[in-house]
């Protein structure tokens, strides 16, 4: 599967930092702040990510998926996903969505990190699926995403509970290269920093690539 693992301290050290903080926290406080359900008797959080449900233990942070139709489970296997979620549990808070979507430029510090986001997410999405719209549709339908009207092909996906990402593609041809846009529900800016949103895009596209292999 096309998932990223911690190969050096660049990912391992942040992971250990947040993991240590997580283990020292009150799980009830985490649940109240993030809105993620916690079963005190079992010592488990129930986390939803890209349509799949995971049981996350406290304080060990052991992760196990609930078997479903997806057959691809990044939160179990991808270090960037593990860091994103443990960081959310330790530092972030849930916020309601207004129904509006914003570009990466619109979030605080988005302009500073845009070049990274463009390379890691927009270009990968455009050149990965801009000339393979039927494959993109199949993946999005498999994930239960909602079809939208923007661009030549677009879908809205619930990344986590009440946090939505919209993927928009414009098909390439002999004259123009394919292009893409990724929009975020406006509550993402409350729950995550700009650097985190690049990881959200990265996890999502890695999931698409893994599903493409599964569905082919």
């Amino acid at each position: 599967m096309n998932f990223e693992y911690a190969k050096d301290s660049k990912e391992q050290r942040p992971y250990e930092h947040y993991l240590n903080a997580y283990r020292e926290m009150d799980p009830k406080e985490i649940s109240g702040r993030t809105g993620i359900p916690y079963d005190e008797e079992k010592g488990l959080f129930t986390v939803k990510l890209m349509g799949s449900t995971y049981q996350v233990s406290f304080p060990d942070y052991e992760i196990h998926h609930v078997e479903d139709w997806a057959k691809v489970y990044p939160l179990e296997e991808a270090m960037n996903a593990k860091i994103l979620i443990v960081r959310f549990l330790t530092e972030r808070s849930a916020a309601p969505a207004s129904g509006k979507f914003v570009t990466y430029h619109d979030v605080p510090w988005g302009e500073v990190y845009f070049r990274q986001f463009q390379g890691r997410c927009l270009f990968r999405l455009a050149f990965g699926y801009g000339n393979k719209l039927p494959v993109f549709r199949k993946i999005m339908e498999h994930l239960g995403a909602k079809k939208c009207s923007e661009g030549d092909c677009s879908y809205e996906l619930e990344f986590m509970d009440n946090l939505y990402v919209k993927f928009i593609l414009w098909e390439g041809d002999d004259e123009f290269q394919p292009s893409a846009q990724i929009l975020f529900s406006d509550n993402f800016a409350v729950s995550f920093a700009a650097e985190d949103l690049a990881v959200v895009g990265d996890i999502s596209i890695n999931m698409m690539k893994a599903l493409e292999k599964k569905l082919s």
Side-chain angles (χ1 to χ4, degrees):
M1 295 181 186
N2 187 23
F3 290 137
E4 295 179 358
Y5 294 81
K7 297 178 181 178
D8 52 40
S9 61
K10 186 177 180 181
E11 285 188 325
Q12 191 63 37
R13 287 181 180 176
Y15 178 62
E16 290 174 354
H17 168 76
Y18 292 116
L19 190 58
N20 289 333
Y22 171 78
R23 288 170 173 165
E24 296 297 321
M25 299 185 75
D26 178 356
K28 291 182 181 179
E29 185 278 331
I30 293 174
S31 180
R33 172 170 42 81
T34 63
I36 294 177
Y38 178 69
D39 187 323
E40 187 174 2
E41 184 177 339
K42 295 180 179 178
L44 294 173
F45 287 102
T46 299
V47 175
K48 293 185 178 179
L49 183 73
M50 298 184 71
S52 293
T53 300
Y54 298 84
Q55 301 293 330
V56 179
S57 70
F58 182 89
D60 298 327
Y61 198 60
E62 293 180 354
I63 302 167
H64 300 282
H65 71 270
V66 176
E67 192 68 30
D68 61 14
W69 40 262
K71 307 303 179 186
V72 175
Y73 304 103
L75 190 51
E76 282 185 341
E77 303 175 48
M79 183 56 72
N80 59 356
K82 291 181 179 182
I83 293 173
L84 183 78
I85 297 304
V86 74
R87 183 174 178 179
F88 179 75
L89 292 169
T90 56
E91 293 187 348
R92 305 301 182 184
S93 301
S98 71
K100 295 181 180 179
F101 283 80
V102 298
T103 68
Y104 192 79
H105 271 297
D106 294 325
V107 303
W109 292 90
E111 291 188 12
V112 175
Y113 294 103
F114 179 73
R115 190 173 296 276
Q116 287 181 310
F117 177 75
Q118 186 180 46
R120 288 175 63 181
C121 302
L122 296 182
F123 286 163
R124 283 185 68 207
L125 182 63
F127 291 103
Y129 295 103
N131 289 319
K132 297 192 297 185
L133 296 189
V135 175
F136 178 71
R137 290 190 188 97
K138 187 176 182 179
I139 293 167
M140 289 292 102
E141 296 291 340
H142 183 77
L143 287 170
K146 173 185 171 184
K147 186 172 175 53
C148 301
S149 59
E150 293 94 336
D152 292 323
C153 187
S154 57
Y155 283 86
E156 178 184 319
L157 176 68
E158 189 171 24
F159 183 78
M160 292 175 63
D161 279 340
N162 206 34
L163 288 160
Y164 299 88
V165 185
K166 190 177 288 188
F167 301 97
I168 307 170
L169 284 169
W170 288 268
E171 193 169 18
D173 56 28
D174 293 338
E175 187 175 355
F176 297 102
Q177 292 184 330
S179 60
Q181 179 61 281
I182 299 175
L183 304 179
F184 301 89
S185 56
D186 56 2
N187 56 338
F188 255 105
V190 177
S191 298
F192 292 103
E195 310 98 290
D196 297 323
L197 297 193
V199 177
V200 168
D202 210 21
I203 292 168
S204 300
I205 296 168
N206 285 348
M207 178 82 160
M208 293 178 201
K209 295 292 186 181
L211 278 174
E212 182 179 354
K213 293 179 181 179
K214 287 274 187 181
L215 298 174
S216 62

